[in-house]
Amino acid sequence: MRWQLPFSRWLPEYKTPGIIRADVLAGLTGAIVVMPQGIAFALLAGMPPQYGLYAAMVPCLIAALFGSSRLMVTGPANAISLTTMALIAPLALPESSTYVAYVLTLSFLVGILQLSLGLSKAGKWVEKVPHSVIVGFTAGAAILIINSQLGTLLGASVPRGKNVVDTVSALVDAFQNKQWQIAAPALVLFTLLVIRFWRSLNRYVPSMLVAVILGSLAAAIIEILFPSISAFKKVQEIPGALPPISTPDLSIETLQKLFSAALIMTLLASTEAMAIARAIALKTKDNFNANQEFIGQGLANVCGSFFSAYPASGSFNRSGVNLASGAKTPLSAICAAVFLVILLVFVSSLAKYIPYVVIAALLLVVAWNLIDLKQIRHEIRMGPSEWIPMLVTGITTVTIPLEWAILGGILTSVIVKHFFKKH
């Protein structure tokens, strides 16, 4: 049963001096980074802010213990958060108790499906999802992230969950009726400038954390100097550092509603986690077992669903920070989860001072970083068999439900490659 206990492979390494220290420091850095990101991703998922932080606790710890990847960090992720909103918003009002219950149940279902895939040795099939489809989906997801935050970024009232056309129409109406807050774009610009100019110091203190602090201070100053301007809408105070116990709703009615959502979320979460884990394994020259990673991700989501965590997957941003911080083993991710709880004990009450517009600016940066122009150019150079599926997936991601966009991209890739093979 050794294959089920991957931590037995790296525990003996702690006899080497310096490894524990490196992992602890990397974990502390990761905990600091996820605080603003977790809140931002929760809002993107249509969940109350604290749920993004809960998703960075238990799932992160379980995946580190039972997954195959040594340095990938599991938790809230941009594409997963966006897809959660797209899949569940038609079923319930975002941030409502019904919505939260559906999302936590989705975590459980995704975990069960991932466990089933891992135990049935299906890891090799997920690896066959064309890379061009993932590139196209990621670029389309970036546009949807921007679309979901446009109202907040521009200080206008725009209903959440609207498509791009409806969002633009709502913004035009708001501008014509002068129902927008001019201070909002100014605060966005200030936040973006902080992130840009702090970039060289990112290894000491994460730029997103600095941007949240300075952006919140700037908002307070604006409200004092210009009392005629409406106060910025702010994040609710985080109710507690420890995630509350939750129970998935496994009624037949709920399972029927979430069946298709669970399938597409499993495909997306698994593909994203596998892509990150494979890339890290290649970079660090480490072994990687796709089936074991399925088991680790599955256990993370199943356990997370009982501790108020919405669907989790590998995080591009946090895994990159973990690697750059000098992490050596999965202990770094475990430390990140523990340090996050400790930090929240002392600073959770300060969350109520963070304006939503500052969080929206962070998501704007996240969306921009998702558009990998280098990889897009590479897919174009590879020929029509690669760029056509990428283009179709990107366009359909923005225009139709996400589950059909990914499946449509995969089908397009099969058809196009078959056509060019014959000709």
Side-chain angles (χ1 to χ4, degrees), residues 119-139:
L119 294 173
S120 62
K121 310 292 185 182
K124 60 180 180 180
W125 296 109
V126 173
E127 294 180 359
K128 293 182 182 294
V129 175
H131 193 254
S132 57
V133 171
I134 301 302
V135 173
F137 174 81
T138 304

Side-chain angles (χ1 to χ4, degrees), residues 23-24 26-32 34-35 53-64 73-75 241-243 318 322 330-344:
D23 283 342
V24 169
L28 178 59
T29 302
I32 294 173
V34 79
M35 288 184 68
L53 301 175
Y54 297 156
M57 295 177 184
V58 172
C60 180
L61 190 151
I62 298 297
V73 180
T74 296
L242 293 175
R318 293 178 66 203
N322 196 41
L331 178 65
S332 59
I334 295 171
C335 288
V338 173
F339 279 130
L340 178 59
V341 173
I342 295 173
L343 287 172
L344 287 178

Side-chain angles (χ1 to χ4, degrees), residues 228-281:
S228 60
I229 295 178
S230 300
F232 294 103
K233 185 179 178 182
K234 297 180 176 65
V235 172
Q236 299 173 356
E237 184 174 347
I238 297 173
L242 293 175
I245 301 298
S246 55
T247 304
D249 178 6
L250 301 180
S251 65
I252 297 299
E253 181 184 1
T254 298
L255 293 179
Q256 289 176 336
K257 287 182 178 179
L258 297 179
F259 179 73
S260 61
L263 291 178
I264 194 62
M265 182 64 81
T266 299
L267 175 62
L268 176 60
S270 302
T271 302
E272 183 172 9
M274 296 299 166
I276 297 171
R278 288 205 312 265
I280 292 176

